[in-house]
Amino acid sequence: MAARFVLALMLVSAVVALSDAASASKKLLHHLKQHKRQTECGDTQFRCKNNACIQYEWTCDTDDDCGDGSDELQCPTDCSGNHQFHCTNGGCQPSEYHCDGDNDCGDGSDEADCATSECDGAEVKCSNNICIERSYMCDGDDDCGNGWDEVQANCNTVSGK
C-alpha cells in the first residue's frame, strides 16, 4: 500500500513538473513572439506600446487599433492631424467620417459639399454622394442607404466583378 502511495506521489510530481515546463515554454514562446513583433514593424507602420504594429494611417483616428490606446496618445486636438476633419461648430471628427451619410459633427458640416468632394482611393462614391469602402460593393448590405452599391451593373463597373 505504501509503495502505491509513493508511486502515486511520484506520478503527481511528474505531472506538476511537466505542467510547469509547459507553462514556461508558453511564456518563452510568447516572449519570442513579442520580440519578433517588435522587430518587424514596416516603414509605413506604427509601433504600439504593446509592441504590436499597425498601419500608421490608423493613428489618431479615434479608434483604439493597438488595443492599448497608444495609437491615440499625443494626437493634435486642433484638427490639424492627417485624419481629422474640422467641423463648422469647432469640433473635430476623423476624416473617414466625412461624407459617410451620418451627421457626426452635429451641425451637418461633415456631410456638406459631398457632391464636389472626392472619396479616398479605397472608396467609391455612391449615387447619393456617400463614400463607402470599395470592398462593400455587392456584399449583400445596403451600405449607400439607397441600394446603389448592390445593383449588379454598378458592381461590375466599380469593382470589376
Side-chain angles (χ1 to χ4, degrees), residues 49-67:
K49 284 189 178 182
N50 65 9
N51 292 325
C53 299
I54 63 166
Q55 296 299 316
Y56 187 76
E57 65 191 36
W58 295 350
T59 61
C60 297
D61 64 356
T62 71
D63 289 323
D64 179 8
D65 300 293
C66 288

Side-chain angles (χ1 to χ4, degrees), residues 9 53-54 62 68 79 93 109 119 128 153-154 159:
L9 188 58
C53 299
I54 63 166
T62 71
D68 64 5
C79 291
Q93 291 292 330
S109 60
C119 301
N128 58 0
N154 296 335
S159 65

Side-chain angles (χ1 to χ4, degrees), residues 22 37 40 50 80 118 132 140:
R37 285 171 60 189
E40 292 186 0
N50 65 9
S80 63
E118 296 292 321
I132 64 167

